[in-house]
Amino acid sequence: MSNSEILSSLKLAGKTAVITGASRGLGEAMVRAFACAGVNLYLIARNDEKLQYIKQELSNYDITVHCFAIDLTDERATKEVFTKIAAYGGIDILINNAGKMTAKPLAFIKKEDILAQFEINTFAVIRCCQFASRLMIRNGGGSIINISSMLGEYGQQGQSVYSASKAAVGGLTRSLAQELASHHIRVNAIAPGIINTQLISELSDTEKNNTLNSIALQHIGEAEDIANSCLFLASQWSSYITGQIIGVDGGIHF
Amino acid sequence: MNNNEKLLNVFSQSLAVSREIIKDDLEYNSITQWDSTAHMALIAQLEAEFSIMLDIDDIIDMSSVGECKKILKKYHVKF
Ligand SMILES: NC(=O)c1ccc[n+]([C@@H]2O[C@H](COP(=O)([O-])OP(=O)(O)OC[C@H]3O[C@@H](n4cnc5c(N)ncnc54)[C@H](OP(=O)(O)O)[C@@H]3O)[C@@H](O)[C@H]2O)c1
């Protein structure tokens, strides 16, 4: 099967997706993968210049792309974006990918550190699920994909707050899957292991090496590995999958 | 169709009840059909019909048909 045959078998062409954290890293890879599959896109992140650059690069695809440069921790701005999206005609897919990781040992964690990570990693995810699910109900259903983390499942030294904020996403995903199933909305999470993006530059060399030793496949993942899993969870191929947290981590074992 | 008619349609479709029982004093959870699942459908249909996006506080406060009308007025929907 050729690449284009695989993409067309997903039957995603003409659907519409919101991708948060679309300006770089995993989000940018998702944007490219979904554009290849013919999905119309709403891109959200704070850096407008970067979003516009990505939009420009997608100009050869037969899709519509709208960019919203907002801080997702701002409730009002988020509501305004979803109001605009509603006016454009709604969405089928939401990928809650925007996130922040700050490593700190327990003794050094301030309330502001906790809030800063929970605001974007957890609270913003809940808010986007609230707005998006209502738009999906209008359209008869959809797929929500939350990007959590293997650290949310296993934890790691110095990552207590980040891990907690991502574990919360796991709980949210399992519960929403039950709550939204009757509205034909599937909710799943992808828990990346260690993937080659800017976020990982936060890890010390020791942390990176320790992690590498615990990856069965013995290499760090690429953003495309996560993007491909998102395509699967957005598509008809995963139509009987909901409430799952899927590790995309090269077989990480702590 | 006026806004009252639109509201009746939205309620009767989302709750799967006949229009006759939709009175201002009909309350959330007072009939089996108006449960939390139907409430989500109701909110989605109200937003679609009146081209609005409700605040979370307003969704929580939408405890009856009468309250719903009051809340929609805040979003410039006239009855
Ligand atoms: N990379 C990994 O190994 C790894 C592993 C496990 C989980 N994850 C998770 O995967 C997701 C993406 O990670 P990544 O590696 O691609 O991270 P990244 O390179 O740091 O990118 C994060 C993205 O989120 C956006 N963002 C951050 N804060 C935001 C805010 N307040 N409002 C709006 N957008 C915001 C950023 O855009 P702006 O700066 O333009 O706003 C950027 O597009 C995160 O949720 C992360 O926790 C990553």
Side-chain angles (χ1 to χ4, degrees):
Chain A
M1 228 185 196
S2 71
N3 253 0
S4 70
E5 281 172 331
I6 293 171
L7 284 175
S8 76
S9 78
L10 295 169
K11 295 205 166 63
L12 286 172
K15 301 239 182 237
T16 303
V18 170
I19 301 179
T20 75
S23 63
R24 59 170 190 265
L26 303 187
E28 186 178 351
M30 290 166 197
V31 168
R32 293 185 198 289
F34 277 75
C36 284
V39 178
N40 301 310
L41 295 167
Y42 295 107
L43 315 184
I44 306 180
R46 290 164 300 186
N47 186 334
D48 191 38
E49 210 177 312
K50 193 69 212 294
L51 290 179
Q52 295 302 337
Y53 175 78
I54 293 170
K55 178 179 173 174
Q56 185 60 37
E57 284 200 333
L58 301 177
S59 55
N60 286 338
Y61 292 95
D62 190 18
I63 57 170
T64 58
V65 182
H66 295 275
C67 301
F68 299 105
I70 60 154
D71 186 332
L72 282 159
T73 66
D74 180 340
E75 187 174 344
R76 194 121 300 269
T78 307
K79 186 184 170 191
E80 276 169 21
V81 164
F82 278 95
T83 307
K84 285 183 188 151
I85 292 173
Y88 288 134
I91 55 166
D92 307 292
I93 300 149
L94 166 69
I95 307 184
N96 277 311
N97 163 73
K100 175 187 172 71
M101 181 174 80
T102 313
K104 267 191 187 171
L106 184 64
F108 297 96
I109 297 166
K110 290 194 204 160
K111 189 177 173 191
E112 299 90 88
D113 300 322
I114 303 171
L115 278 180
Q117 287 193 79
F118 268 84
E119 282 284 0
I120 184 67
N121 293 350
T122 315
F123 302 164
V125 173
I126 297 174
R127 228 177 352 256
C128 287
C129 286
Q130 286 183 310
F131 289 124
S133 61
R134 276 144 53 192
L135 299 190
M136 288 175 180
I137 290 171
R138 291 186 197 185
N139 286 2
S143 173
I144 295 177
I145 303 163
N146 296 324
I147 305 301
S148 63
S149 168
M150 281 321 276
L151 295 186
E153 305 296 301
Y154 296 107
Q156 194 174 54
Q157 207 170 318
Q159 296 288 357
S160 53
V161 174
Y162 177 76
S163 301
S165 72
K166 289 296 189 177
V169 171
L172 175 79
T173 301
R174 291 190 190 97
S175 301
L176 284 188
Q178 310 229 355
E179 201 169 320
L180 297 176
S182 61
H183 299 291
H184 311 290
I185 299 173
R186 296 183 297 108
V187 189
N188 292 289
I190 288 174
I194 185 159
I195 312 293
N196 191 14
T197 70
Q198 190 175 315
L199 185 118
I200 285 312
S201 61
E202 290 274 336
L203 295 181
S204 67
D205 285 345
T206 324
E207 279 172 323
K208 269 188 207 159
N209 282 335
N210 287 346
T211 316
L212 203 53
N213 289 335
S214 57
I215 301 174
L217 294 180
Q218 283 292 303
H219 65 88
I220 285 177
E222 294 300 328
E224 290 68 30
D225 296 320
I226 306 301
N228 291 340
S229 311
C230 287
L231 281 177
F232 168 69
L233 284 179
S235 79
Q236 53 155 2
W237 293 115
S238 61
S239 58
Y240 199 52
I241 299 178
T242 196
Q244 302 304 309
I245 294 155
I246 298 176
V248 181
D249 57 11
I252 214 161
H253 51 94
F254 288 101
Chain B
M1 202 189 299
N2 68 29
N3 286 339
N4 252 318
E5 285 288 309
K6 287 182 182 172
L7 189 78
L8 278 176
N9 279 347
V10 168
F11 264 92
S12 89
Q13 279 165 20
S14 337
L15 309 187
V17 294
S18 72
R19 288 163 58 117
E20 288 67 48
I21 73 155
I22 302 159
K23 307 276 185 259
D24 279 5
D25 59 0
L26 180 68
E27 289 185 345
Y28 171 62
N29 263 340
S30 65
I31 52 171
T32 51
Q33 293 93 328
W34 193 353
D35 60 5
S36 60
T37 304
H39 197 66
M40 275 290 282
L42 174 69
I43 299 302
Q45 297 311 330
L46 284 171
E47 289 181 330
E49 183 65 60
F50 297 107
S51 303
I52 54 172
M53 186 69 81
L54 293 160
D55 281 333
I56 303 300
D57 286 342
D58 290 328
I59 294 174
I60 295 164
D61 290 344
M62 209 171 272
S63 53
S64 68
V65 175
E67 280 303 317
C68 173
K69 283 184 185 167
K70 274 190 212 160
I71 288 163
L72 290 181
K73 281 180 194 159
K74 284 189 359 192
Y75 293 81
H76 311 295
V77 179
K78 295 199 175 89
F79 290 99

